[in-house]
Amino acid sequence: MEKSLNTKEVKIKFKDPKVYEKFNHIEVGDWIDLRTIDVVTLKKGQFRKVDLGVAMELPAGYEALLVPRSSTFKNYGVLQANSMAVVDNSFKGDDDYWSFLVLATEDVTIPKGARICQFRIMKNQPKINFKVVDKLDNDNRGGMGSTGTM
């Protein structure tokens, strides 16, 4: 298979390759699912680092964003405790396995191999110089949370 110029190579290591037998980029969209590698049992209110069983070496200049799948709360009643995780490309050691930080809103057992979260790889933010000004020359939108209000 020929690689395009935009294709990036990511080295990946699995703790349990059987859990990730069908690991690949999804056909629709830009996010890639990650799975639990153990059965996870939580009581309501309990916090846990859920082992995802993957370690990766991201390309230089890239980072990964890790978020719940849209069905994670509906299926398991857990919330991602840190809202969104950022995995920078310095987190690339042989034992730097990714985890998903969850808070249970109810008693739950999540099966081994459950697709619980997803990630995408993005370029790092460029260097930014901030310029302090007294006025921004733009129209006001109405403040945070004003979209769609009259």
Side-chain angles (χ1 to χ4, degrees):
M1 175 185 276
E2 185 178 318
K3 287 199 281 186
S4 80
L5 294 176
N6 292 327
T7 301
K8 299 294 180 191
E9 181 175 270
V10 175
K11 293 180 182 177
I12 187 166
K13 177 184 171 189
F14 299 109
K15 274 187 184 177
D16 184 350
K18 289 180 183 175
V19 170
Y20 285 103
E21 285 178 327
K22 295 182 180 180
F23 185 82
N24 56 17
H25 193 278
I26 58 176
E27 295 298 319
V28 178
D30 293 327
W31 294 79
I32 302 162
D33 291 341
L34 294 173
R35 299 172 179 269
T36 58
I37 64 160
D38 297 304
V39 173
V40 177
T41 301
L42 299 162
K43 296 287 186 194
K44 181 178 180 176
Q46 187 177 5
F47 166 81
R48 169 88 55 87
K49 281 174 61 173
V50 176
D51 190 351
L52 301 171
V54 295
M56 297 185 210
E57 183 179 323
L58 301 175
Y62 285 79
E63 62 193 2
L65 304 180
L66 181 69
V67 299
R69 295 181 74 240
S70 58
S71 61
T72 297
F73 183 77
K74 176 182 64 96
N75 291 342
Y76 306 113
V78 296
L79 299 170
Q80 185 172 9
N82 55 343
S83 300
M84 178 184 73
V86 178
V87 181
D88 67 53
N89 67 8
S90 69
F91 191 71
K92 59 185 176 186
D94 203 42
D95 291 321
D96 285 338
Y97 287 100
W98 294 14
S99 57
F100 184 59
L101 308 178
V102 298
L103 178 66
T105 63
E106 58 191 54
D107 292 357
V108 65
T109 297
I110 304 169
K112 178 178 179 171
R115 295 182 302 153
I116 193 167
C117 61
Q118 57 191 341
F119 78 98
R120 70 175 297 154
I121 297 171
M122 301 183 64
K123 284 187 177 181
N124 292 78
Q125 179 170 283
K127 299 282 186 213
I128 295 175
N129 291 317
F130 289 97
K131 179 181 178 183
V132 178
V133 297
D134 291 327
K135 181 173 178 15
L136 301 174
D137 297 321
N138 305 294
D139 292 335
N140 291 323
R141 281 191 44 185
M144 297 292 285
S146 64
T147 301
T149 61
M150 298 193 163

